[in-house]
Amino acid sequence: MTRNELKAIAISMLDRAYCPYSHFPVGAALECSDGTVFTGCNIENAAYSPTICAERTAVVKAVSEGHRDFVRIVVAGRSKDPCVPCAVCRQVLREFAPNIEIICLNSDGAEVVYTLPELLPHSFGPEFLGL
Ligand code: THU
């Protein structure tokens, strides 16, 4: 899949976001090494804290379907600045893909690209526990 195709999928997920509290939709498209793509959107909750971000929605869908080898993720927002993953999502990505490429989009589709070590330096991961 091309980068532009993956970006288009993440942008299309903005319409699936359930965000009646923040009114801040986020879409994600997570690409695996075998080319499989898992999508995600943020899903908010009246109790607030059960809210799950778009990135984690995509990761839990992938892992629960037997995929753990992630190569890149597109995160799309409708903000002026490209939407970067929150700290919790960075840590969740770190578990499975310590060097994943993270492509962040703003409302115009303009991108900034990071690697996970740039967004989460000196990170804690499974190897600390001997795994
Ligand atoms: N959100 C995401 O889905 N991903 C991020 O990385 C940033 C924040 C969501 C959570 C919440 O539903 C809304 O954006 C506002 O924080």
Side-chain angles (χ1 to χ4, degrees):
M1 172 167 297
T2 69
R3 189 188 193 85
N4 280 342
E5 286 170 338
L6 197 65
K7 285 165 69 169
I9 291 171
I11 291 167
S12 75
M13 289 304 293
L14 286 163
D15 291 331
R16 296 259 176 96
Y18 175 73
C19 53
Y21 308 107
S22 73
H23 304 287
F24 188 89
V26 183
L30 177 66
E31 188 177 55
C32 304
S33 57
D34 69 357
T36 311
V37 173
F38 290 90
T39 58
C41 62
N42 52 331
I43 303 169
E44 298 185 344
N45 188 276
Y48 288 18
S49 63
T51 292
I52 184 167
C53 293
E55 301 91 316
R56 274 178 291 143
T57 300
V59 170
V60 299
K61 285 169 68 178
V63 174
S64 63
E65 294 297 323
H67 291 259
R68 296 179 184 170
D69 192 11
F70 311 135
V71 291
R72 58 183 171 172
I73 186 168
V74 177
V75 184
R78 289 201 175 118
S79 43
K80 185 163 132 315
D81 293 320
C83 185
V84 291
C86 78
V88 173
C89 289
R90 295 177 195 195
Q91 183 65 35
V92 169
L93 289 166
R94 164 65 172 86
E95 182 73 17
F96 301 105
N99 293 303
I100 191 170
E101 181 183 29
I102 301 168
I103 301 156
C104 306
L105 307 182
N106 74 357
S107 56
D108 299 322
E111 69 175 37
V112 291
V113 183
Y114 301 103
T115 63
L116 189 68
E118 290 176 312
L119 295 185
L120 193 68
H122 310 291
S123 63
F124 186 84
E127 65 275 15
F128 283 78
L129 302 176
L131 300 179

